[in-house]
Amino acid sequence: MKYRNRSTFQPKRKLLTCALASVLVVASGHAIAQSSNATLRGKADAGAQVTAVNTATGSKRQVTANADGSYSLAGLPPGTYTVSSGGTERTVTLQVATSVSLDLVGGAPAAPAGDTTTLDTVRVSAPPLQEVKTSEVGTNVSLKQINTVPQLTRNFLEFADTVPGMQFETDQSSGQSKLRGGAQKSSAINVYIDGVGQKNYVLTGGVAGQDQSAGNPFPQLAIGEYKVVTSNYKAEFDQVGSAAIIAQTKSGTNEFKGELFTRYTNTSMRQPTVGEDAAGVDKAQTKQNEYGFALGGPIIQDKMHFFFSYEAKDFVLNVDPVATPRQWESFEDFLPAGVRAQLGPTTQPFNEDLYFGKLSWDVGDNDRLELSAKYRDEQGVSGAGGTTTDSAAKVNFNTDKRYDLRWMHYGETFLNEARVTYEDSLFNPAAFTIGNQSIYTRGPNRNDVLLTADSTSALSIQRKGQKGPAFQNDLTFNSFEWMGDHVVKTGIKFKSVELTQSENSAINPTFRYSVNDGSLPITAYSPVGTNVIPYMVSFNAPYEGASPIVTTKAKQYGIYIQDDWDVTDRLQLNLGLRWDYEDIPSYVDFRTPQEVVDALYGPGTGSNSGGIYADQLRAGGVNIEDYISTGNNRKADKNNWAPRLGFSYDLTGDERWVLFGGAGRSYDRNLYDYLGLEQVKAALATYDINFVESSGCTPAPGTCVNWDPRFLNGIDELYSLIDTRRRNGEIDLMNNDLVTPYSDQYSLGIRGTIGEWNTSATVAYVHSKEGFVFTLGNRYPNGNFYDAPSWNANDIAQPWEHNPPGFGGLILGDNGIETKTTQLLLSAEKPYTEESGWGFTAGYTFSRAKGNRGGDEHYSFDGPTIDAYPFIDLKAVPRHRLVMTGIYDLPWGVTASAKVTLATPPPLNSVVGWWEYGSATAVPPLIVSTDTPGTLGTKQLDLSLSKRFDIAEDMAFEVRADMINVTNAKNYSSYRTVWGSGGVYDPETSVVSTGNGVTSYTPPRTLFVSARLTW
């Protein structure tokens, strides 16, 4: 059957109790405008009415200036407003998640004139007010940039790549993309759309639905603009450790507006990938077809509006050609004929449908209701390419549904926001082919894989998701005076979310076959060619009465208070405190199975067989009592207090030069994909059984049997070889005192305005701690982690053969991954205006990142504990990175734009065994970081050219061409390292540009053509 198409901050308890009680009392009645809205502050005549009217929707907000003339309009949806007081009137544009100043007293300078974009599909004539008095390290991405700058993915998050400190990465072999802030894991980011976090609680990627997906988290047509805050965000932001992305969706206006687009590329419009070029194969037949539309307009003029968008992707993506590893290419001719026929170019199809709808209703001058919904549906084949044939690929089914109802009430001195949301996100990979999987190896060595064929691995069949409701209640006081002016925000959050984790399936057994090209010793078990009898079968089987799917209902609580305090006209302090708590019953209430406990306190291994296995572990630094759960000896981490402190000081008194800085702590979370393994592994075991005729093993029940062709007839035939009543699989245990990962963030910088240019220079330091990690718990009988294995007294290796008696390996889950990142962030922007006809941005990042693990790594089996790992330069970020974009209006309705990306190659992180540099004495492996060759690892120029045709007064047609990687720079990312010789470690790294498996940081030169109709 086939499917197709713990260092912690702890204030005094009395202070925390008072702060918590105060916030609960205040928040019970009102709520603040959440993070995507803007705040307008300034001076007007004392006691005067200050009114802001949205030019696109007609919505009106009004406050009274205080006795000192100060006023604050909070919770304004980003857009263009006419702001008036007395006889003074200004037209300004407010950007997403900003707090800006506008003085309306007599004689106040007029806001600068010019043209800009807005979140709505109407033309306006006011530039955005720039946010300068904030301690956040952040940058706004405008709708003009989204609509104009060259783009590879049509994922709106791609433009965050232009922000210093950020990287948007696209895997050239799968189309999968991820966003990373600094050197932390991609899961440390959080994206807030209309104030709602899109956090993935189960899988990596940060955003729900982004793990193993070539799709987009949200339709780009529905995004108005967004802000990227790389560190020192305010207390309202939760579940984030690196960057916070705050996006505002478009809304309908008083005019019916629409947009229709299509975008296309195919094989003939691209150069060969570096993998195709190096392997000497023809280009795979690929295509990318994207299309969609958006509609918006009034239901009741000035009161109720609607907006709807739809986008689709229909892709056939190129991946690495199917081939054996380049060092073993000679084995290809000795594979079975049916398998050889599957070698060569391949592709993987992908389809996505994205829907978004929004209703906005200004019930009166003081109340606003918004209801929105998003639906994402994906299906894509993945896993093929490299050493995996099409028949062994998998089908990823990916859905994400989200609903958001919020009510905003505007009082004279406060703003109340209440929000109810619901989410249902599911990642459900299934088998592309049902049946027996075949893995062909270099001789009877299971680790030397030549090719995988015939069916999907049972490990690839999974079910992982999150669903449930949430309630959020927030409050802003916008007219509070005490030793200056304050805008005080406070709020609470409760979320009940059902988490599901299923790691693998009990179908599709894997048979391993030995292949010999004549270069290996020729034996009865490894003849020349492919042995017709497999030497091993691996399969999964659940224990009787156990389910390999774990589901739990987690409870999340959050509370915060934030004070933006204008101490003087020049000095602003940003003071915040946040507390978060999460209860995951499947972790807290888990009881370690008695069979596992008996094994851990049973006989030791090897020469310690007369002792106790727990003592064997204890001699190696593992106290197994820290991991055995009784069902009542675990507590959820409640000590997640996060202070957020910042300042900004106007050096010149006119906001042209502002000094700013901050220090704060931010808590992320432990992914359920890791926590759930404790129960999943306790319910499902993987069995490895050898066959006498092809491996020479000694017959023993459940480990070595005589071959019988009936074993190929289905999983039930294999179940007859084992006893499913007895637990005997891998043991995964979590530490009983897991804590929440967090980052401490520090920054100091200066913002300046030079003519039309906005500039910024910041030094930022982020120290992330307590990242989750798995290590190997096994120890040798003497407690060592490195020692001579039983098969070679002259070697040294980890104790993989010394499992708990009767079980597989002992895998321990702990906190302990740590990174330290120092960055110099420089930016310069000349905003685009129609009056000038051009815009430019430049962002430079210098990074020095060190840590004991980098990137998205969480398995660490090369050292006894995570504490044994050295701090090395991390490969997650390059040392130097420069991204520039430009927009320029040419005559006759033509617009040109460009993006330039330059980056040094990141260091190479590796684990080096003694045999790789010929050590005369067996020693433990080295965990190292090595510089990679070349001045530039990435050099990429992207260009775009568009032509606009005005069809009618309010209708235009646009054609556009985007050329990605214009110079077709190869930008190789494959390296070969000679680690030394004669026992001397002396690494020498070179770029790999020939053979199989060659990769690149960037895509080949590719042309995208698109058309767009607006009305």
Side-chain angles (χ1 to χ4, degrees):
M1 175 182 179
K2 295 185 178 181
Y3 295 96
R4 302 284 185 185
N5 212 54
R6 191 131 83 145
S7 168
T8 54
F9 172 88
Q10 188 172 3
K12 292 182 179 179
R13 191 168 300 276
K14 288 184 179 180
L15 174 62
L16 297 181
T17 304
C18 292
L20 181 62
S22 298
V23 174
L24 285 170
V25 170
V26 171
S28 62
H30 306 295
I32 82 162
Q34 188 53 356
S35 48
S36 64
N37 288 324
T39 298
L40 184 64
R41 306 171 74 174
K43 294 287 187 179
D45 294 331
Q49 293 291 311
V50 180
T51 304
V53 179
N54 189 299
T55 61
T57 65
S59 63
K60 182 174 69 173
R61 301 291 174 252
Q62 186 169 280
V63 295
T64 301
N66 296 323
D68 65 352
S70 63
Y71 75 92
S72 176
L73 282 159
L76 297 175
T80 300
Y81 289 83
T82 298
V83 185
S84 60
S85 179
T88 304
E89 183 176 284
R90 303 283 186 266
T91 299
V92 297
T93 294
L94 305 181
Q95 294 179 297
V96 62
T98 57
S99 179
V100 293
S101 300
L102 179 67
D103 289 341
L104 298 167
V105 292
D115 292 304
T116 186
T117 55
T118 173
L119 298 186
D120 307 299
T121 51
V122 295
R123 289 187 293 273
V124 297
S125 55
L129 292 177
Q130 296 298 316
E131 182 182 41
V132 294
K133 296 176 71 173
T134 177
S135 58
E136 294 176 329
V137 183
T139 303
N140 281 74
V141 177
S142 70
L143 183 60
K144 183 68 176 181
Q145 291 171 283
I146 294 173
N147 283 339
T148 310
V149 173
Q151 188 180 17
L152 174 65
T153 64
R154 235 193 114 74
N155 181 338
F156 79 94
L157 294 176
E158 183 177 338
F159 297 100
D161 191 64
T162 64
V163 176
M166 301 297 297
Q167 292 181 88
F168 183 86
E169 305 166 351
T170 303
D171 189 322
Q172 302 311 312
S173 64
S174 66
Q176 298 169 13
S177 60
K178 58 185 175 183
L179 185 65
R180 187 186 307 281
Q184 296 184 67
K185 295 182 178 182
S186 59
S187 60
I189 71 165
N190 201 347
V191 176
Y192 306 86
I193 296 180
D194 289 343
V196 179
Q198 311 290 301
K199 191 74 170 183
N200 196 331
Y201 302 133
V202 182
L203 294 162
T204 61
V207 185
Q210 281 308 100
D211 187 73
Q212 302 181 53
S213 172
N216 298 342
F218 205 81
Q220 186 165 293
L221 281 178
I223 295 294
E225 63 172 307
Y226 63 95
K227 182 180 182 180
V228 182
V229 184
T230 55
S231 66
N232 288 336
Y233 14 78
K234 297 179 182 179
E236 60 195 287
F237 297 100
D238 65 338
Q239 298 179 341
V240 57
S242 60
I245 316 298
I246 310 116
Q248 178 75 11
T249 60
K250 295 177 182 176
S251 298
T253 70
N254 281 332
E255 299 180 66
F256 283 104
K257 295 290 182 180
E259 180 176 348
L260 178 69
F261 85 95
T262 182
R263 186 172 188 251
Y264 185 77
T265 189
N266 62 23
T267 307
S268 63
M269 300 164 71
R270 70 172 176 88
Q271 292 294 307
T273 66
V274 294
E276 292 168 335
D277 194 42
V281 298
D282 294 334
K283 290 190 294 184
Q285 295 300 308
T286 60
K287 72 167 185 176
Q288 294 187 38
N289 187 21
E290 300 170 273
Y291 51 91
F293 68 91
L295 293 171
I299 299 175
I300 303 174
Q301 195 81 358
D302 290 339
K303 293 295 183 181
M304 182 182 290
H305 306 87
F306 78 94
F307 179 84
F308 179 82
S309 69
Y310 166 76
E311 293 191 31
K313 292 181 183 290
D314 181 10
F315 287 178
V316 177
L317 299 168
N318 60 287
V319 295
D320 292 337
V322 179
T324 58
R326 58 177 174 269
Q327 67 269 35
W328 299 325
E329 288 176 315
S330 60
F331 284 78
E332 286 187 359
D333 293 338
F334 296 88
L335 293 166
V339 176
R340 292 200 306 272
Q342 300 181 61
L343 298 171
T346 188
T347 59
Q348 52 188 33
F350 174 83
N351 299 97
E352 179 185 52
D353 294 294
L354 268 173
Y355 305 84
F356 174 74
K358 181 178 180 182
L359 286 174
S360 306
W361 182 18
D362 285 306
V363 181
D365 288 344
N366 298 322
D367 294 277
R368 180 179 176 88
L369 288 174
E370 285 187 357
L371 174 64
S372 63
K374 184 197 81 170
Y375 176 59
R376 173 182 183 178
D377 185 22
E378 295 177 355
Q379 177 179 329
V381 176
S382 72
T387 60
T388 303
T389 65
D390 289 347
S391 57
K394 63 179 177 178
V395 183
N396 290 338
F397 295 98
N398 191 23
T399 59
D400 187 29
K401 307 170 189 174
R402 291 181 179 261
Y403 310 93
D404 177 19
L405 173 64
R406 65 172 172 170
W407 165 54
M408 301 174 69
H409 176 70
Y410 298 83
E412 180 67 24
T413 59
F414 67 88
L415 170 63
N416 173 69
E417 181 177 7
R419 182 195 303 271
V420 178
T421 64
Y422 184 84
E423 63 189 73
D424 185 354
S425 185
L426 178 64
F427 178 66
N428 188 201
F432 185 76
T433 310
I434 302 293
N436 297 326
Q437 184 181 66
S438 301
I439 296 182
Y440 300 90
T441 64
R442 180 177 171 268
N445 188 338
R446 65 179 298 174
N447 294 320
D448 293 349
V449 176
L450 299 173
L451 214 64
T452 301
D454 298 335
S455 77
T456 305
S457 168
L459 297 174
S460 298
I461 304 169
Q462 305 172 359
R463 184 178 181 86
K464 301 179 180 183
Q466 59 191 62
K467 66 178 179 179
F471 172 73
Q472 196 168 325
N473 213 22
D474 304 275
L475 168 70
T476 254
F477 292 109
N478 57 13
S479 183
F480 178 64
E481 296 180 74
W482 177 78
M483 299 181 66
D485 298 320
H486 300 255
V487 173
V488 179
K489 304 178 182 180
T490 183
I492 60 173
K493 170 185 174 181
F494 169 74
K495 192 167 192 175
S496 175
V497 57
E498 182 181 279
L499 306 173
T500 299
Q501 212 273 34
S502 173
E503 186 66 18
N504 48 37
S505 171
I507 62 172
N508 287 10
T510 295
F511 292 88
R512 286 178 169 81
Y513 296 85
S514 171
V515 183
N516 192 341
D517 67 345
S519 64
L520 302 175
I522 300 172
T523 67
Y525 311 125
S526 183
V528 174
T530 300
N531 197 336
V532 295
I533 298 177
Y535 64 86
M536 175 188 288
V537 63
S538 302
F539 60 93
N540 299 323
Y543 308 120
E544 284 188 6
S547 171
I549 299 178
V550 56
T551 298
T552 191
K553 287 201 172 180
K555 301 291 190 296
Q556 299 176 0
Y557 306 86
I559 187 170
Y560 74 90
I561 186 168
Q562 175 76 40
D563 181 9
D564 294 338
W565 178 12
D566 282 336
V567 182
T568 68
D569 289 342
R570 294 193 177 194
L571 176 63
Q572 182 182 99
L573 298 181
N574 307 118
L575 311 175
L577 180 65
R578 180 174 190 93
W579 178 76
D580 289 285
Y581 170 74
E582 181 175 23
D583 178 39
I584 302 178
S586 67
Y587 164 73
V588 174
D589 301 334
F590 177 73
R591 293 174 61 93
T592 306
Q594 190 60 46
E595 301 97 313
V596 173
V597 176
D598 292 343
L600 293 172
Y601 286 102
T605 64
S607 60
N608 192 38
S609 58
I612 297 175
Y613 190 77
D615 291 338
Q616 181 174 324
L617 298 178
R618 192 170 287 108
V622 176
N623 185 355
I624 199 61
E625 285 79 14
D626 292 340
Y627 302 89
I628 294 176
S629 178
T630 63
N632 56 22
N633 62 339
R634 290 180 175 178
K635 303 293 183 182
D637 184 10
K638 296 181 180 179
N639 197 30
N640 298 336
W641 291 96
R644 314 269 175 94
L645 311 174
F647 79 94
S648 61
Y649 184 77
D650 186 351
L651 295 171
T652 56
D654 56 3
E655 298 189 356
R656 295 181 64 84
W657 292 98
V658 175
L659 183 70
F660 66 95
R665 174 167 292 183
S666 185
Y667 284 88
D668 195 7
R669 63 186 317 282
N670 292 306
L671 295 178
Y672 194 64
D673 196 28
Y674 309 154
L675 299 185
L677 284 178
E678 192 169 38
Q679 286 185 261
V680 169
K681 295 295 185 180
L684 187 73
T686 298
Y687 297 85
D688 294 329
I689 296 179
N690 296 291
F691 299 116
V692 176
E693 293 81 0
S694 54
S695 70
C697 61
T698 301
T703 60
C704 178
V705 301
N706 290 308
W707 169 251
D708 190 324
R710 70 181 176 87
F711 297 149
L712 297 173
N713 294 336
I715 196 73
D716 290 338
E717 297 289 349
L718 296 171
Y719 282 175
S720 66
L721 302 174
I722 60 173
D723 182 0
T724 58
R725 296 170 299 176
R726 180 176 165 277
R727 298 180 190 271
N728 63 350
E730 176 183 296
I731 300 174
D732 284 47
L733 296 179
M734 304 295 135
N735 194 298
N736 293 329
D737 191 26
L738 286 178
V739 296
T740 309
Y742 66 91
S743 65
D744 287 332
Q745 306 169 357
Y746 308 88
S747 65
L748 182 64
I750 187 169
R751 298 186 185 94
T753 302
I754 305 173
E756 296 181 288
W757 290 80
N758 303 315
T759 64
S760 177
T762 308
V763 176
Y765 174 75
V766 178
H767 188 178
S768 70
K769 303 178 184 180
E770 307 293 6
F772 188 88
V773 63
F774 283 112
T775 56
L776 179 63
N778 292 13
R779 293 296 187 267
Y780 282 97
N782 60 5
N784 288 351
F785 185 77
Y786 303 111
D787 214 329
S790 61
W791 62 85
N792 188 344
N794 297 317
D795 201 353
I796 187 169
Q798 297 110 308
W800 287 103
E801 60 179 321
H802 293 271
N803 300 324
F807 283 84
L810 174 61
I811 310 300
L812 303 177
D814 287 281
N815 299 109
I817 291 181
E818 186 175 354
T819 66
K820 299 177 180 179
T821 307
T822 302
Q823 293 185 314
L824 172 63
L825 312 171
L826 304 178
S827 67
E829 178 191 17
K830 189 277 177 189
Y832 171 89
T833 63
E834 284 190 15
E835 183 180 34
S836 68
W838 68 282
F840 179 85
T841 70
Y844 167 77
T845 306
F846 170 82
S847 301
R848 190 63 186 266
K850 288 183 174 291
N852 52 9
R853 295 297 270 167
D856 292 330
E857 298 162 319
H858 60 278
Y859 281 107
S860 301
F861 295 152
D862 300 293
T865 65
I866 190 62
D867 292 334
Y869 279 70
F871 265 65
I872 59 176
D873 291 334
L874 297 177
K875 66 180 180 181
V877 290
R879 186 66 56 85
H880 303 274
R881 192 166 191 271
L882 173 65
V883 180
M884 298 180 290
T885 69
I887 304 169
Y888 194 84
D889 288 341
L890 297 169
W892 306 300
V894 177
T895 298
S897 63
K899 179 183 177 183
V900 176
T901 303
L902 303 172
T904 54
L908 178 67
N909 298 158
S910 188
V911 178
V912 185
W914 61 266
W915 59 89
E916 296 184 79
Y917 55 95
S919 176
T921 304
V923 294
L926 300 174
I927 302 170
V928 299
S929 179
T930 304
D931 286 337
T932 43
T935 304
L936 290 176
T938 301
K939 45 185 182 298
Q940 180 175 336
L941 170 64
D942 304 331
L943 295 176
S944 176
L945 201 64
S946 62
K947 164 64 177 171
R948 175 187 173 96
F949 300 90
D950 290 320
I951 301 173
E953 181 179 355
D954 292 316
M955 179 176 289
F957 179 72
E958 179 184 276
V959 291
R960 172 171 165 173
D962 285 13
M963 183 73 78
I964 306 299
N965 194 3
V966 172
T967 63
N968 198 34
K970 299 299 184 182
N971 296 324
Y972 294 110
S973 58
S974 305
Y975 300 98
R976 180 186 293 111
T977 302
V978 177
W979 296 105
S981 61
V984 178
Y985 173 73
D986 185 19
E988 192 173 308
T989 303
S990 58
V991 174
V992 176
S993 59
T994 60
N996 297 327
V998 176
T999 58
S1000 173
Y1001 292 115
T1002 56
R1005 180 166 60 229
T1006 305
L1007 174 65
F1008 289 87
V1009 293
S1010 60
R1012 179 172 173 237
L1013 179 66
T1014 59
W1015 65 92

